[in-house]
Amino acid sequence: MIEITDLHKKLGGHPVLAGVNLRVAEGETLAIMGPSGTGKSVLLKHIVGLMDPDRGDVIVDGISVPSADREGIGEVRSRIAYVFQNSALFDSLTVRGNLFMGLPPGACDGRVPECTAMARTALEQVNLSDDVLELLPAELSGGMQRRVAIARAIIGKRRYILYDEPTTGLDPINATRINELIARVSREVEATSIIVTHDIESAFFLADRVVLLSGGLVQAEGTPDELRETDHPAVREFLDAAPVAGVA
Amino acid sequence: MSVAELLARCGRAVRGAALHAGRAGILFFVTVKALGRPRAWLSESFVQAKRIGVEGLGLVLLMGALSGVVMAQQTSNQLSPGLPVEIVAGGVVAGMLTELGPVLTAIVLAGRMGAGIGAELGTMKVTNQIDALLTLGRDPVIELVVPRVVAGTIILVPLVIMANAMGIFSGYAISTTLLGLTPEQYASGARGYYHHGALIYSLVKAVAFGFTITFTASYVGLRAGGGAAGVGRTATAAVVAIIVWIMVLDVVLAPVYKAVT
Ligand SMILES: Nc1ncnc2c1ncn2[C@@H]1O[C@H](COP(=O)(O)OP(=O)(O)OP(=O)(O)O)[C@@H](O)[C@H]1O
Ligand SMILES: [Mg+2]
């Protein structure tokens, strides 16, 4: 379980997070929506200890991330996979090398065939053929990079997967594919997922629960159905601004 | 500018320098500590050493050759009548070993491997690859910094030796063709000047400069920010910082050499 309590963070003199409270239960798929620049990525970075809060706490399976020592942070990170907003593949490594990095350090020393088999399975799960194994990230399209990034996140079978805008910048067909992929992966690897997205359609499609983050606070949360029905002004403003959601 | 403003500026500069010193100190400590786990960085160090060596060799040899020619000509120009012409060879050997070999090699490599490492790590920083390493349970210092620092520190020794040899050889070529020395005069002049201390000094400098280039570039690269433009600025900043540090080290090492020999 991930518990975020009263999280405060100022960046560049501006309060970005101003008391965020959030709880993510085991096995749940949570979508975090919100306008650009409200601190969605900043929030995710606090969960894996890439940023330290000014105040408040993040607890992952009982470990407080801000006050954890090196070992504690290592333990937390070994349970969480993070799909970055820009894929963040290692551009000096091939797809195979990138996927190996998704496994625990040293796991592939002297076990290259076993690891390659795992890499093939992960590629299969994201609908990529193993022809790409020896390619460099620069030789892949943006959509393929995103899928390799997801494969790198699932190969280690970590308990939590954080997706930072997995469909932003993709064409509708690829976006739909990625959404279906995330839904399938959540089922297959039984991971707890947090998906940050602007895309209301995909949030409602994927999530058990949706949270609207705005002005540094959680403005509203509920199931997709609850949020569609609500007359909470911040939610209405966000939903009505997007033409697709208007239809939904 | 008022006095108060000037003081405020100085204060900010001192504070900035102190912050950098502190952060670089931490990186230094972590890097040195990581040396105790050679299995984690050894094979990547070979890869980096090979890359740096192959990329830098041609330029280093060219610079060595040119500086040997310059030293021979300048020494010859200073020669007043009556002084033995062998001094030209001594000037070349002394100049190459103590200054030109190590310093010019370091400056060439500041532009090549310093800018390269700064841009490479800077790109990794601004595209979240460093964060990705961290979340995947890897230590960027062990994965990236240590192999480059080890490789650069070691590889500069053979490169400096080759630059020195190239300079002494090109000095020979120009002395015996244009400056009127016989091969025997050059050889005896070179032997007359040469002592092991100078060679050791040359190699100590190589090690110190190799470390300075790679460590500074890594430090600056890991602090990159501001997207692609930021990476460009980072590469430039790395080269400038490296060259300044090399010259400072060069000044500091000179009296040490004098005291020892
Ligand atoms: N390292 C940083 N230093 C300074 N300011 C930062 C830093 N990271 C983020 N910010 C600021 O924090 C705010 C929130 O950034 P964040 O990236 O979390 O937004 P976001 O909600 O993920 O937006 P988007 O949907 O566009 O990705 C922004 O105003 C940004 O400028
Ligand atoms: Mg973001």
Side-chain angles (χ1 to χ4, degrees):
Chain A
M1 186 161 69
I2 298 177
E3 290 171 276
I4 296 167
T5 41
D6 195 33
L7 201 66
H8 284 74
K9 181 71 177 178
K10 266 190 187 174
L11 282 166
H14 303 284
V16 176
L17 302 178
V20 172
N21 290 292
L22 199 60
R23 210 172 230 273
V24 191
E26 205 74 17
E28 176 179 42
T29 300
L30 175 80
I32 301 176
M33 290 197 300
S36 208
T38 44
K40 303 184 296 295
S41 300
V42 168
L43 180 61
L44 289 189
K45 286 182 180 166
H46 279 85
I47 298 177
V48 285
L50 289 174
M51 280 188 176
D52 278 326
D54 299 333
R55 214 167 84 205
D57 206 354
V58 178
I59 298 175
V60 177
D61 293 341
I63 303 173
S64 161
V65 179
S67 51
D69 56 7
R70 230 181 123 86
E71 250 168 58
I73 288 280
E75 182 55 38
V76 166
R77 287 179 180 159
S78 74
R79 296 175 188 211
I80 301 178
Y82 194 131
V83 181
F84 284 86
Q85 195 161 351
N86 60 348
S87 298
L89 296 177
F90 301 113
D91 40 35
S92 62
L93 299 179
T94 60
V95 169
R96 184 210 297 265
N98 270 282
L99 294 177
F100 281 15
M101 290 294 268
L103 293 164
C108 297
D109 295 351
R111 296 182 57 235
V112 172
E114 290 93 326
C115 285
T116 305
M118 292 169 87
R120 288 214 165 85
T121 311
L123 285 177
E124 215 170 278
Q125 282 176 309
V126 299
N127 294 332
L128 282 174
S129 87
D130 56 9
D131 299 344
V132 300
L133 267 180
E134 304 309 325
L135 297 182
L136 290 168
E139 297 169 305
L140 304 174
S141 74
M144 289 163 93
Q145 288 181 10
R146 209 65 68 87
R147 279 189 263 172
V148 174
I150 295 174
R152 184 175 72 183
I154 62 178
I155 191 173
K157 302 209 166 42
R158 292 167 198 235
R159 194 181 292 185
Y160 303 97
I161 308 184
L162 315 185
Y163 298 91
D164 197 351
E165 305 199 10
T167 57
T168 304
L170 297 182
D171 64 85
I173 294 175
N174 265 308
T176 308
R177 276 198 195 143
I178 297 271
N179 281 332
E180 285 166 354
L181 175 75
I182 293 173
R184 190 157 51 75
V185 163
S186 305
R187 278 197 310 273
E188 281 176 11
V189 302
E190 290 170 357
T192 305
S193 311
I194 302 180
I195 302 156
V196 163
T197 180
H198 299 288
D199 181 353
I200 294 162
E201 229 187 343
S202 60
F204 285 1
F205 169 71
L206 290 168
D208 303 319
R209 204 154 55 92
V210 179
V211 162
L212 179 69
L213 190 72
S214 175
L217 288 167
V218 172
Q219 299 289 352
E221 61 177 294
T223 63
D225 289 335
E226 283 169 0
L227 283 201
R228 272 199 203 97
E229 307 290 296
T230 186
D231 45 12
H232 189 295
V235 180
R236 286 271 52 106
E237 189 190 9
F238 191 74
L239 296 189
D240 295 343
V244 186
V247 178
Chain B
M1 200 190 299
S2 71
V3 176
E5 241 176 88
L6 193 73
L7 279 177
R9 273 197 189 196
C10 289
R12 274 197 299 275
V14 169
R15 185 169 164 273
L19 268 176
H20 275 301
R23 293 191 190 115
I26 292 171
L27 182 64
F28 179 78
F29 177 74
V30 177
T31 304
V32 170
K33 212 174 130 208
L35 288 176
R37 294 166 49 196
R39 274 194 40 185
W41 47 260
L42 201 60
S43 68
E44 178 64 14
S45 298
F46 277 112
V47 175
Q48 293 297 330
K50 201 171 139 199
R51 195 176 95 182
I52 296 167
V54 169
E55 279 178 2
L57 183 63
L59 259 174
V60 166
L61 290 179
L62 178 67
M63 293 298 279
L66 294 175
S67 30
V69 171
V70 171
M71 271 318 287
Q73 283 174 322
Q74 290 298 352
T75 317
S76 162
N77 290 346
Q78 306 294 321
L79 227 51
S80 33
L83 282 177
V85 285
E86 283 88 345
I87 288 179
V88 172
V92 172
V93 173
M96 285 313 297
L97 291 187
T98 58
E99 291 300 330
L100 293 179
V103 173
L104 284 181
T105 300
I107 285 177
V108 167
L109 291 180
R112 251 222 125 91
M113 82 178 172
I117 291 172
E120 192 181 11
L121 299 196
T123 303
M124 292 189 75
K125 179 77 196 303
V126 304
T127 57
N128 289 328
Q129 291 178 57
I130 303 284
D131 282 348
L133 271 181
L134 288 168
T135 62
L136 291 166
R138 266 51 168 206
D139 181 346
V141 174
I142 290 191
E143 301 275 333
L144 304 170
V145 177
V146 175
R148 284 166 177 75
V149 171
V150 168
T153 306
I154 292 172
I155 203 74
L156 236 74
V157 172
L159 287 178
V160 166
I161 290 176
M162 284 188 265
N164 289 341
M166 197 69 196
I168 292 168
F169 174 75
S170 71
Y172 166 84
I174 197 88
S175 303
T176 52
T177 50
L178 295 182
L179 305 177
L181 272 79
T182 64
E184 292 72 30
Q185 282 170 328
Y186 190 88
S188 99
R191 261 201 305 278
Y193 169 76
Y194 176 82
H195 55 115
H196 291 321
L199 180 63
I200 291 168
Y201 180 56
S202 197
L203 301 185
V204 167
K205 273 190 172 178
V207 168
F209 293 165
F211 178 86
T212 304
I213 295 170
T214 45
F215 182 81
T216 309
S218 301
Y219 173 74
V220 175
L222 287 180
R223 299 201 50 77
V231 174
R233 282 195 300 274
T234 299
T236 316
V239 174
V240 172
I242 290 166
I243 292 179
V244 170
W245 277 113
I246 285 172
M247 293 317 291
V248 169
L249 261 180
D250 200 39
V251 170
V252 173
L253 286 174
V256 176
Y257 174 57
K258 189 142 187 264
V260 172
T261 53

